[in-house]
Amino acid sequence: MIEKIEELLVEVNGFNTTSKEEIENFRIKYNGKKGVLNDFYETLKEVPNDQKKDFGQKINTLKQAVNVKLEDLKNASSSSSIILEKEDLTKPAFPLDLGSRHPINLVKNRIIEIFKSIGFAVADGPEIEDDWHNFTALNLPEYHPARDMQDTFFIEQNPDILLRTHTSSVQIRYMEENEPPIRILSPGRVFRNEAISSRSHCIFHQIEGLYIDENVSFADLKQTIQFFTTELFGKSKIRMRPSFFPFTEPSAEIDVYWGLNSETDYRITKGTGWLEIMGCGMVDPAVLKNVNIDSEKYSGYAFGMGIERITMLLYQMSDIRMFFENDIRTLEQFKTL
Ligand code: PHE
């Protein structure tokens, strides 16, 4: 008798189906009124007393196995029938969302494209810099007051290792390793310890340009910038306001004439029609000397702009924090430029 139960146990454990009908037959066979289990309980009454315990235990084991199996089969068959009943398996799949480029990258790439078309190459450099490349070689000696405008995060001190405050450091590295003519753009992430307002951010992106050759003049600088503003904004009217940077002499801020055609134009230009877009100037001979370029023979210009600012102008965005919030609802609106 015990052997018979063990055989059935193997059968129960090995049974599998998703057919509702077969599951019901299985239930009737074991749990039905005239089923196997009831049969055994009947037989149990006639078993001699000293064997009752063993026999009873075996029947219970079988009963448990039957119930567990029934539970499992029912679960499996109901979830598969839900899929079959509710899903139309012939439907085409949902389209994959491919994502989009970040607006900062879109604008960066567009700026690079414009300057590439007139012979500029892209140069890269480290975000963690030493004092020489970020400050000293750029004619910003230690204790120079102009350093105050570019406080940053120091990783080590004496000698100072810091997060670069501009990508002019890349220009120094490039001039140290290459002979003129030099015509490069250095795009990248820069860092400043800014607490001017709650909107200011300690990280932003810059793109700087450098051109060194024989007979490079201020007129070349102006014409290059004018070409750039025409290509990017469709606006060719620019003006140069005198300014100061330690690494350029003379130095200027470039304003582009945006116009006063809409209420927004009035707001963003504060009623003047002019918008500041970048700093620039002729490379100071002291900088050329620091990188062993003969300033009697060569001259050059440099310029630098913040990509966030340009992007905000192009897309008429009002808050710089939108670039760093990573809100997909904002970012997915910028697919192309
Ligand atoms: N490096 C300057 C800055 O970060 C920008 C600049 C570059 C100005 C080149 C003039 C010439 O403010």
Side-chain angles (χ1 to χ4, degrees):
M1 209 38 109
I2 297 232
E3 274 164 28
K4 175 77 188 153
I5 296 180
E6 268 170 1
E7 258 173 47
L8 289 171
L9 204 53
V10 173
E11 188 184 303
V12 166
N13 285 333
F15 183 73
N16 202 6
T17 181
T18 51
S19 145
K20 288 211 166 124
E21 206 184 323
E22 285 181 38
I23 296 172
E24 182 59 7
N25 289 341
F26 176 85
R27 188 192 66 78
I28 294 169
K29 175 175 174 188
Y30 286 94
N31 275 354
K33 251 192 192 148
K34 293 181 180 162
V36 173
L37 282 166
N38 276 347
D39 251 11
F40 279 128
Y41 285 121
E42 280 302 314
T43 321
L44 184 59
K45 291 177 193 157
E46 276 124 51
V47 168
N49 273 349
D50 60 339
Q51 290 173 29
K52 264 205 168 97
K53 192 177 159 210
D54 272 0
F55 191 60
Q57 271 176 355
K58 278 284 170 212
I59 302 176
N60 279 338
T61 312
L62 181 64
K63 183 180 172 182
Q64 252 173 18
V66 167
N67 287 338
V68 167
K69 179 57 80 175
L70 272 174
E71 226 9 66
D72 287 353
L73 291 176
K74 277 183 194 158
N75 288 341
S77 94
S78 67
S79 57
S80 69
S81 68
I82 283 176
I83 291 174
L84 286 174
E85 282 159 22
K86 298 205 171 160
E87 298 281 331
D88 175 0
L89 296 179
T90 63
K91 259 192 338 200
F94 288 111
L96 277 180
D97 202 343
L98 285 181
S100 55
R101 282 195 200 285
H102 194 281
I104 295 289
N105 275 334
L106 284 175
V107 172
K108 180 187 83 177
N109 290 341
R110 176 75 188 114
I111 296 172
I112 291 174
E113 207 175 82
I114 293 169
F115 282 102
K116 262 195 174 165
S117 75
I118 51 171
F120 281 77
V122 172
D124 210 358
E127 291 178 357
I128 298 175
E129 259 304 357
D130 52 31
D131 179 279
W132 170 256
H133 293 96
N134 195 77
F135 292 126
T136 307
L138 285 157
N139 208 23
L140 273 148
E142 218 179 335
Y143 304 120
H144 192 290
R147 281 198 181 196
D148 287 355
M149 289 188 297
Q150 299 196 6
D151 187 19
T152 183
F153 301 92
F154 289 80
I155 289 168
E156 278 172 28
Q157 278 190 303
N158 297 321
D160 289 349
I161 303 292
L162 44 98
L163 298 185
R164 69 181 180 193
T165 60
H166 46 190
T167 59
S168 308
S169 53
V170 180
Q171 305 183 343
I172 296 295
R173 286 182 178 276
Y174 196 89
M175 286 189 285
E176 281 174 340
E177 310 221 317
N178 296 275
E179 297 290 320
I182 288 170
R183 218 187 267 121
I184 54 158
L185 283 181
S186 45
R189 195 154 50 153
V190 299
F191 308 82
R192 289 188 198 176
N193 182 9
E194 306 223 5
I196 302 163
S197 76
S198 62
R199 286 191 178 199
S200 57
H201 211 279
C202 60
I203 299 176
F204 62 103
H205 298 78
Q206 260 194 340
I207 205 158
E208 296 207 351
L210 174 74
Y211 177 33
I212 311 276
D213 204 345
E214 290 178 39
N215 302 318
V216 178
S217 74
F218 205 78
D220 295 325
L221 169 60
K222 183 169 182 187
Q223 196 171 26
T224 305
I225 300 302
Q226 196 173 31
F227 168 76
F228 166 70
T229 60
T230 311
E231 289 290 305
L232 187 65
F233 302 118
K235 300 187 192 287
S236 59
K237 190 166 160 185
I238 59 170
R239 72 180 181 192
M240 300 176 114
R241 271 180 299 111
S243 184
F244 170 78
F245 300 102
F247 30 87
T248 47
E249 181 63 35
S251 305
E253 301 279 352
I254 304 276
D255 296 341
V256 61
Y257 189 69
W258 198 256
L260 288 171
N261 299 316
S262 69
E263 227 171 287
T264 315
D265 291 352
Y266 271 88
R267 184 171 49 79
I268 62 176
T269 68
K270 300 198 176 78
T272 66
W274 291 97
L275 273 178
E276 182 187 319
I277 56 161
M278 68 168 87
C280 63
M282 301 306 290
V283 179
D284 195 304
V287 174
L288 295 179
K289 190 164 159 266
N290 286 338
V291 293
N292 293 319
I293 290 179
D294 181 358
S295 62
E296 295 294 323
K297 187 169 173 202
Y298 295 108
S299 57
Y301 62 70
F303 56 85
M305 64 193 120
I307 304 180
E308 278 80 356
R309 184 173 169 76
I310 305 284
T311 308
M312 287 170 79
L313 290 177
L314 274 174
Y315 292 119
Q316 310 266 297
M317 290 165 78
S318 56
D319 194 329
I320 195 167
R321 288 170 295 189
M322 286 170 141
F323 295 128
F324 298 95
E325 283 167 353
N326 278 337
D327 187 332
I328 286 174
R329 291 167 303 179
T330 308
L331 297 178
E332 71 182 0
Q333 297 176 45
F334 304 90
K335 301 255 161 156
T336 50
L337 181 69

